[in-house]
Amino acid sequence: MKGVPNPRGPEVFAIEGEKRAVAIREEADFTAAPDPVPEPSEPRRGSWLTRAFWSALGLLVSLFLLDAVWSLILSLHQKSVLAGQVGLALIAVIALIAVIWLLREVFALLRLRAVAGLREEARIAALQPLDSEVRALTAQLVAFYAKDPTTAAGRAEIERSLGEIHDPQTRLAIAERALLAAKDDAARAMIASAAQRVSVVTAVSPRALVDVAFVLVQSVLLIRKLSALYGGRASGFALIGLVRGVAGHLLVTGGMAAAEQVLGQVMGAGLAARLSAKLGEGLLNGILTARIGIAAIEASRPMDFQALPPVLLPEIVKKIISQEKVAEKPAV
């Protein structure tokens, strides 16, 4: 019919299109940013059972040991009064040694924690070298090495520079050079010696198991020596913690991959082709030992390398390769 507007004309479609667009936008906004629903934390089933089990087992073992010791003392006393007294004296000596060992372990853990704290404060002071913070850090470093006779000259130099040097960055550099320069040189020598020893022994060893055992023993001894060099007391539980820290550092940085990369860069294809398989394996073991030593330095040093050059793997590798070249020459 004429004169009757079409109910589905352009205006109706436009209105419906706007409504549909608004609905789509609202739905999109709703789905794009939903309200976060907190996930219910599931209770740790069996945790209290595990703690109860190990607590009961520990108490049972302790009671068993006490009963065994008490039975031994009674048996000795029944046989002879003198034997019972000797048994009591020996038990007292063992208990005293155990207490001393525990105190040493606590002291070693505290020393390692102090090293970690000094390293963290040194990093903060290097980023923001304020005079008060640098003075406090320098005083802590001097106190940390107060009983180390090898740092006597360095501590005296730091005391002289306090009144002459007013720049915090320069004072921090003087403290690092005065206290750690000689220790860094000794650490380089320790790492090179251990790496060369591992390289030679594993190159001539006929058993792979002997190679693995020798590398592990030398690595642990190297970590302990480096920790003692920088002021730590790595023994027992403290040594286990330090070894775990070094292993974590190697996992992050890729110890074996870095060793192989440096081996290829320093040696080159010519020398690598001339080396025998066993000699190359010994060389790679030595480089890995050196990498462990460098990681131990980073975990044991109370300051990061800033004013002093760091201990680099290529310089250790060159020393190992020089020895391998000598060992490769046939005897005349």
Side-chain angles (χ1 to χ4, degrees), residues 256-315:
M256 182 61 74
E260 293 179 352
Q261 182 180 4
V262 172
L263 179 62
Q265 292 176 354
V266 177
M267 289 178 58
L271 182 58
R274 292 194 301 269
L275 284 177
S276 63
K278 192 61 178 177
L279 200 60
E281 182 182 352
L283 182 58
L284 187 60
N285 290 331
I287 295 174
L288 181 60
T289 304
R291 186 68 187 87
I292 292 173
I294 293 175
I297 290 178
E298 296 175 358
S300 304
R301 204 173 188 264
M303 295 178 65
D304 294 333
F305 288 96
Q306 298 173 5
L308 294 173
V311 181
L312 300 177
L313 188 58
E315 63 177 327

Side-chain angles (χ1 to χ4, degrees), residues 106-116 143-145 230-233:
V106 171
F107 179 71
L109 291 172
L110 291 177
R111 291 286 291 186
L112 290 181
R113 186 174 297 180
V115 170
F144 183 78
Y145 288 114
Y230 285 103
R233 298 290 186 273

